[in-house]
Amino acid sequence: MVRLGRAALLLAVLGFLYVPIGVLVALSFNESGLATVWTGFSVRWYGALLANADILAAALNTLVVGLISTLVATVLGTALALGIEARARKGRAVEALIFAPMIIPDIVLAIALLSFFSILKVPMGLHTIILAHVVFNLAFVSAVVRARLKTFDWSVTEASGDLGADGFTTFRRVTLPLILPAVIAGALLAFTLSVDEFIIAFFTAGAGRSSTTLPMQIFAMIRFGVTPEINALAALVMAVSVTAVTLAQRLNRGVIAP
């Protein structure tokens, strides 16, 4: 009875989480122009996305922001994780300072970044969104890489030094290959967060369509009602996010237990 109760509770929770997503995906294949009235199977709305110049431009902006911010955040986050683990003494204050962007509400971080750019008189655009996403993603990359470093055998780097390798060679030939699954997992997580992020991008984008990202485009479209085209777009965004998270989770198997 206890097992049945737990199974029922698990199914109820999973249903609560995933049934709405399943309905959205199903309705994205709806032939009708009404988002909630099923009239037959069709992929016409996915074709409509390819013909929508605004959506394609927003998707390109999202890809540019995601790739550049992920690359920068991955490099800085990995360096930060290595730097923290190399310290002989680690304080709680340092930990809290580094991971603050993970726990600060997005709206607070967005307002802070907007104020910061305004004080420096930095013109808003894709570049400010990229910088904001680097700040947001850096802590997540660092957390994933540090999870791998917790079980890292530092004696191999000492052995490399004893054999005559300098610091850069040791990092390139020994350290990086061993932590690479965690680095890639952190990068995939950062890319997923960047693609899905709306609030920070909305506050730091400035005016004009040249800096509109895909979540911002979706928000602009749903103000006039949800259509099957929006369902199709949301389904594609979700597919990209799920794929990236799944790959990150598979790589994380080697992070916790190398």
Side-chain angles (χ1 to χ4, degrees):
M1 292 296 294
V2 175
R3 291 184 177 180
L4 290 176
R6 291 177 178 175
L9 179 61
L10 177 61
L11 289 176
V13 172
L14 292 177
F16 179 78
L17 291 174
Y18 293 108
V19 167
I21 296 176
V23 171
L24 181 146
V25 173
L27 290 176
S28 70
F29 295 99
N30 186 11
E31 185 179 10
S32 171
L34 299 176
T36 58
V37 179
W38 180 267
T39 59
F41 181 87
S42 175
V43 295
R44 59 178 291 199
W45 300 111
Y46 288 91
L49 292 179
L50 298 178
N52 191 316
D54 291 338
I55 290 177
L56 293 179
L60 179 60
N61 289 339
T62 298
L63 187 62
V64 170
V65 171
L67 291 177
I68 297 178
S69 64
T70 295
L71 178 61
V72 177
T74 300
V75 173
L76 296 180
T78 301
L80 180 61
L82 289 169
I84 295 174
E85 290 300 321
R87 288 170 55 94
R89 299 175 62 184
K90 308 176 183 66
R92 293 182 180 271
V94 176
E95 298 277 345
L97 182 63
I98 292 171
F99 298 119
M102 296 175 62
I103 58 177
I104 294 177
D106 286 357
I107 185 67
V108 175
L109 184 59
I111 294 173
L113 289 168
L114 174 61
S115 301
F116 178 75
F117 291 137
S118 299
I119 291 173
L120 296 181
K121 300 186 184 305
V122 177
M124 300 294 182
L126 279 184
H127 57 287
T128 51
I129 300 178
I130 292 172
L131 291 174
H133 280 196
V134 169
V135 173
F136 177 71
N137 288 329
L138 193 149
F140 290 93
V141 175
S142 181
V144 174
V145 175
R146 286 196 65 199
R148 173 65 181 90
L149 293 176
K150 292 293 184 182
T151 56
F152 186 78
D153 184 6
W154 292 98
S155 64
V156 296
T157 60
E158 297 173 359
S160 176
D162 292 339
L163 293 173
D166 57 24
F168 178 75
T169 301
T170 298
F171 172 77
R172 182 172 60 88
R173 302 291 295 274
V174 179
T175 307
L176 183 58
L178 292 175
I179 67 172
L180 189 59
V183 174
I184 297 176
L188 290 171
L189 178 60
F191 181 76
T192 302
L193 294 172
S194 183
V195 168
D196 293 341
E197 204 284 319
F198 166 75
I199 296 177
I200 295 176
F202 182 79
F203 273 75
T204 58
R209 301 197 61 85
S210 61
S211 57
T212 299
T213 62
L214 207 51
M216 294 168 61
Q217 179 66 28
I218 294 175
F219 175 75
M221 293 171 66
I222 64 174
R223 288 185 299 176
F224 302 100
V226 178
T227 65
E229 188 177 17
I230 295 176
N231 289 338
L233 180 57
L236 290 177
V237 172
M238 185 188 64
V240 172
S241 301
V242 170
T243 301
V245 170
T246 301
L247 291 174
Q249 289 296 322
R250 290 181 65 86
L251 289 169
N252 266 332
R253 294 178 182 178
V255 173
I256 305 300

